[in-house]
């Protein structure tokens, strides 16, 4: 399993980015992050933000490791998977957040985590991995045509 500095920073950086957004929005700007939970409401705090973003980063890292062993272009496949997952994750704050400010801050949290994951994992993915690449073969199919 390839553990590069960028990938470690992505797993650590995702919760750090989310926590930074929370610090600016809640303690500094005075926003209240309240979401509907069952019949009542719940305040979103730093512990749940760190836990959720760390979980997203670790799951993304594991998925990338699996893709690198199974597909030829793991970065591309990971990017394709990331778009609908991000869209689905945004349905939570857009549907359950109480108030416009909470919606905006929670969307910003999701986008910050996604940005760190994309930069740290997807862009760092090795494009030459996968079962179709045998040792000694060119990295790209058209590499032999170029000479």
């Amino acid at each position: 399993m390839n553990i590069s500095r960028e990938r470690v920073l992505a797993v650590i950086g995702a919760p750090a980015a989310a926590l930074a957004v929370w610090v600016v929005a809640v303690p500094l700007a005075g926003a209240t992050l309240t979401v509907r939970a069952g019949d009542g409401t719940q305040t979103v705090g730093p512990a749940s933000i760190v836990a959720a973003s760390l979980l997203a980063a670790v799951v993304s890292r594991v998925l990338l490791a699996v893709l690198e062993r199974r597909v030829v272009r793991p970065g591309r496949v990971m990017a394709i998977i990331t778009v609908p997952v991000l869209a689905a994750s945004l349905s939570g704050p857009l549907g359950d957040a109480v108030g416009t400010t909470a919606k905006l801050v929670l969307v910003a949290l999701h986008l910050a985590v996604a940005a760190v994951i994309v930069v740290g994992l997807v862009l760092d993915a090795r494009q030459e991995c996968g079962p179709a690449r045998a040792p000694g073969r060119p990295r790209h199919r058209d590499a032999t045509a170029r000479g």
Side-chain angles (χ1 to χ4, degrees), residues 2-19 53-54 56-58 60-61 64 112-124:
N2 181 21
I3 301 178
S4 69
R5 183 179 72 123
E6 288 80 11
R7 294 175 189 207
V8 171
L9 289 175
V11 171
I12 296 168
L19 197 56
S53 56
L54 183 61
V58 169
S60 297
R61 175 61 187 103
L64 181 58
V113 170
V116 171
I117 289 171
V118 166
V119 169
L121 296 179
V122 174
L123 296 181
D124 186 56

Side-chain angles (χ1 to χ4, degrees), residues 78-97:
M78 186 75 172
I80 291 168
I81 292 169
T82 300
V83 172
V85 170
L86 175 60
S89 79
L90 290 174
S91 69
L94 292 174
D96 295 333

Side-chain angles (χ1 to χ4, degrees), residues 32-95:
T32 302
L33 299 184
T34 307
V35 294
R36 288 179 211 47
D39 291 337
T41 60
Q42 178 180 354
T43 301
V44 178
S48 59
I49 289 169
V50 169
S53 56
L54 183 61
L55 178 65
V58 169
V59 167
S60 297
R61 175 61 187 103
V62 169
L63 176 61
L64 181 58
V66 170
L67 290 173
E68 286 179 327
R69 293 180 179 268
R70 308 253 182 222
V71 299
V72 175
R73 298 184 189 270
R76 180 177 290 174
V77 174
M78 186 75 172
I80 291 168
I81 292 169
T82 300
V83 172
V85 170
L86 175 60
S89 79
L90 290 174
S91 69
L94 292 174

